[in-house]
Amino acid sequence: MDVQFDFSGRRVVVFGGTSGINLAIAEAFAARGAAVAVASRKRSNVDAAVERLGVHGNPVRGFVADVRDMESVAEVFEAVRSEWGPVDVLVSGAAGNFLAEANELSSNGFKVVVDIDLNGTFHVMRAGFEHLAPGASVINITAPQAMIPVRYQAHVCAAKAGVDQLTRVLALEWGGKGVRVNAIAPGPIAGTEGLARLSPGDDPNGDRSVRSVPLGRFGTTEEIADLAMFLSSSAAAYVSGAVIPCDGGGSFESLRAIEEAGRFLASAPR
Ligand code: COA
Ligand code: NAP
């Protein structure tokens, strides 16, 4: 990147920050001087992330917490606040996904994704607000499914549409406190769990999903992190309530191609 960001002394909390895109965001902050706390459900993921982030030599904390449980989310903020002080950057990125036709989803199958993606984001926002520093940057990780209907993704489309609107409403309500709230909508990102679940069997080097992206390739986790750096910097001081795609130019085409790959999966015996 030919732009330098410096987050020395800033305090960053990333929910779901122990793998994939969210871990890359956590690492980008850690590499630029921030104290970074990550939280997710599995102790093994938390420990591995803490070890990886610690390489940068800045303070790191890891917490086992499930965003579906607001109390466990609140405990993370309380621990960070008492150890480091108020939070300058808050990222909410925990999510769950699988391909399933709406008619095959049980009540609990629909609910589990809404609980993690949407209710979990609300919990992170609701429990986090009182611990935010003046001028804090809040970033929710959404998905293009919030805007684009996709087969086998009724649960995700519904949940992420809620995340987009929650982002916009909180930008209205929190603007008066100087807090900016934005969302990033990644396109297909190479090497991630999210993409693997959506397009199993896709060849990242040449198949239709890749060719469907106007820029001709999948994105990288670092490219999503770059946008998070911008949104948390003074260069974005007047950006709030924005849902920003980072998708190589065309989520609609990419999702249609991925949907096609999913169609084959969904018709295969399970
Ligand atoms: N098709 C249909 N229903 C499914 C399903 C699938 N592929 N996978 C899970 N479900 C249903 C389950 O059957 C269950 O419903 P039931 O109680 O009526 O049987 C419900 O979803 C909850 O499943 P469970 O495995 O108990 O949930 P969990 O809390 O352990 O895990 C998930 C949550 C299902 C979202 C799991 O995939 C997960 O942990 N994902 C995190 C990683 C991820 O998805 N990364 C990509 C982010 S984009
Ligand atoms: P990932 O690697 O599976 O990351 C998900 C993270 O969330 C993990 O750290 C996971 O850790 C944690 N998590 C899951 N459920 C949780 C819960 N209930 N409570 C707390 N933490 C939980 O996924 P990814 O592909 O990088 O996706 C990250 C984000 O980007 C998601 O919001 C996703 O919707 C979005 N996105 C991804 C793509 C893509 O191409 N990958 C495209 C569009 C949008 P534990 O298992 O330890 O809990």
Side-chain angles (χ1 to χ4, degrees):
M1 198 179 22
D2 54 5
V3 181
Q4 299 301 316
F5 292 106
D6 182 3
F7 292 100
S8 298
R10 305 284 184 87
R11 294 149 298 220
V12 176
V13 179
V14 185
F15 278 86
T18 63
S19 82
I21 289 170
N22 305 318
L23 176 57
I25 293 173
E27 185 152 27
F29 280 112
R32 289 167 180 78
V36 178
V38 291
S40 77
R41 295 167 301 175
K42 298 183 193 122
R43 167 58 62 194
S44 55
N45 289 349
V46 171
D47 290 346
V50 166
E51 194 178 334
R52 177 162 163 178
L53 296 172
V55 165
H56 299 284
N58 296 303
V60 176
R61 285 292 311 269
F63 298 90
V64 173
D66 190 322
V67 295
R68 291 170 285 190
D69 171 10
M70 180 136 142
E71 221 164 277
S72 79
V73 170
E75 281 167 15
V76 172
F77 286 113
E78 277 147 25
V80 169
R81 178 75 174 267
S82 68
E83 202 165 316
W84 293 341
V87 174
D88 297 295
V89 179
L90 172 58
V91 179
S92 177
N97 198 357
F98 50 82
L99 289 168
E101 241 176 294
N103 278 342
E104 287 179 6
L105 272 174
S106 66
S107 168
N108 199 34
F110 188 83
K111 181 174 179 294
V112 75
V113 170
V114 172
D115 272 351
I116 299 171
D117 294 27
L118 177 55
N119 297 339
T121 302
F122 176 74
H123 292 155
V124 171
M125 301 293 103
R126 179 71 179 82
F129 178 71
E130 65 181 284
H131 299 288
L132 295 177
S137 163
V138 176
I139 300 172
N140 293 322
I141 308 301
T142 182
Q145 289 94 319
M147 301 289 287
I148 302 166
V150 183
R151 290 178 181 83
Y152 316 122
Q153 290 281 274
H155 43 333
V156 174
C157 290
K160 292 292 197 183
V163 171
D164 284 13
Q165 281 297 63
L166 183 59
T167 300
R168 296 181 181 109
V169 171
L170 294 182
L172 293 178
E173 294 189 0
W174 295 358
K177 308 266 184 224
V179 173
R180 297 180 298 105
V181 189
N182 294 290
I184 296 175
I189 304 304
T192 61
E193 183 65 26
L195 184 59
R197 283 175 181 235
L198 278 189
S199 59
D202 269 359
D203 168 11
N205 295 314
D207 78 353
R208 193 178 147 213
S209 304
V210 173
R211 283 185 277 112
S212 71
V213 180
L215 286 183
R217 62 176 177 82
F218 288 155
T220 66
T221 57
E222 291 78 13
E223 286 167 333
I224 304 301
D226 287 347
L227 179 51
M229 299 299 101
F230 164 71
L231 284 174
S232 302
S233 75
S234 56
Y238 202 54
V239 181
S240 193
V243 177
I244 305 179
C246 187
D247 63 2
S251 286
F252 186 85
E253 289 79 2
S254 313
L255 277 170
R256 285 289 167 261
I258 284 170
E259 183 187 58
E260 188 65 30
R263 190 192 309 274
F264 296 125
L265 177 86
S267 59
R270 276 197 266 178

